[in-house]
Amino acid sequence: MQKIGNKLEPKKKLLFRCATHNINNMPESSWTPKSKEIAAMAAGRDGVDIRMWQEIGLYWPKVDELDKWGKRIKGQCYKTKAIFSYNNLEHEITSVRQPGGTAIVFNERLSSRCKETGIDHRNLGRWAWTRCGDENKLHTTFISAYRPCVSSSSVGTTTYDQHLRNIPINNEPRKLLLDDLITLIKSFQEKGDNIILGMDANEDITNRNIKSFMATINLKNAVLSLHGNRCPSTTDAGDSDKPIDIIMCSMSLNPVNAGIDSDAGSTSDHTCVWADFRKEDLFGQDYRDYKKFTYKLKADDPRMAQKYSSLSLNQIKKQGIHEKLVNLLKIPVGQLSNDDINSFHKLS
């Protein structure tokens, strides 16, 4: 995979950085190196304010409590917010690993201005979105979308198959996703919003199909609008010779910097596609950064200590930690498996 565009360097204070990235399946366990790398990415070490992720690969209702997203980023991502979208129509036949899914992760600068969030109205995990801005001023809606590919070895579990089982008959999943996105985006445009869409299109983004989609809703390719028409491959898998990942933005938005960077995260076989935008272009001329303040409670107040202890014990009971530890203690010495040892460390 090649790089084009600007180098991913520390951004200037008055800019907002957006990035889209197919993270190629988040591990089930939070203890794996890849999980830790993804959590580090979410912490914003590269200056990204909002991340639009695709192919999360997890069915969160069946993920262990100790491996939920909040546990993975605890202590690393202060005041970030995340919206995950996944297929929640097939609970009985779905395992922890579920192909597809999308997410949006954004930092304090945007969480303080987050007005609305939402997911795919068909509950298939095709996209997640957030709408940010100040009251009675310019807003920008950010969308992360994953368009499935047609698998040649489908066995009923692919993202495409999930969609096919749950959409109206005689509809094709890839086409319907684009049609539904057009409806969603137009609803925000009618409110006067800017649009920034990060998508794994699973199709050459320079083809007529994607160009027609962008033209219908008045969007442009953020990277190519700044750096010309040459666009290298964005993945080492599947259509490895084609660019399939893209940041689209409203025609009225002009990115200051943009690029395709294969080194912006070692978790995936897809590149990170990113763009910087001026704050006044996204949220209006009188935009000002502000922070929400958290007031610390006095640790030496016995009433607060009692309340903390009570909440902690309730959480320990709710998660069944005591019972799980007792069951581990019943296993004879020498017969503990690696999974048992990992479970003990997590519970501890």
Side-chain angles (χ1 to χ4, degrees), residues 225-238:
S225 69
L226 196 62
H227 297 293
N229 295 322
R230 187 182 70 86
C231 192
S233 168
T234 60
T235 179
D236 285 335

Side-chain angles (χ1 to χ4, degrees), residues 65 312-321 323-324:
E65 285 297 325
S312 298
L313 290 171
N314 285 339
Q315 205 52 228
I316 289 171
K317 183 178 179 180
K318 182 178 179 181
Q319 296 186 20
I321 291 177
E323 292 79 4
K324 292 176 182 177

Side-chain angles (χ1 to χ4, degrees), residues 28 59-64 68 90-96:
E28 178 182 344
Y59 180 57
W60 289 101
K62 290 187 177 180
V63 173
D64 188 273
K68 298 290 190 185
E90 301 180 329
H91 180 81
E92 298 302 325
I93 65 172
T94 299
S95 66
V96 177

Side-chain angles (χ1 to χ4, degrees), residues 16-26 38 41-42 44 46-56 69 81-85 100-107 110 118 125-132 140-147 181 184-185 194-201 219-223 244-250 253 255 257-259 264 267-268 270-277 282:
F16 276 90
R17 178 164 292 169
C18 311
T20 187
H21 198 183
N22 178 318
I23 61 172
N24 191 24
N25 297 305
M26 192 180 297
I38 290 172
M41 286 167 56
D46 50 5
V48 174
D49 295 292
I50 184 160
R51 299 177 186 278
M52 296 163 281
W53 283 345
Q54 300 86 40
E55 206 169 3
I56 309 303
W69 178 248
K81 187 172 182 178
I83 302 104
F84 286 90
S85 182
T102 53
I104 283 187
V105 182
F106 46 100
N107 64 13
L110 286 169
R126 300 180 300 169
W127 63 70
W129 60 267
T130 183
R131 184 171 186 255
C132 301
T140 295
T141 295
F142 303 89
I143 306 168
S144 173
Y146 179 62
R147 185 169 176 245
L181 269 177
L184 175 76
I185 289 170
N194 293 311
I195 303 294
I196 294 179
L197 167 63
M199 180 166 66
D200 177 356
L219 300 183
K220 63 184 178 183
N221 186 321
V223 176
I244 63 175
D245 302 281
I246 184 173
I247 286 185
M248 307 176 197
C249 65
S250 298
L253 293 176
N257 308 297
T267 67
S268 176
H270 287 247
T271 59
C272 174
V273 183
W274 63 277
D276 291 344
F277 297 90
L282 297 182

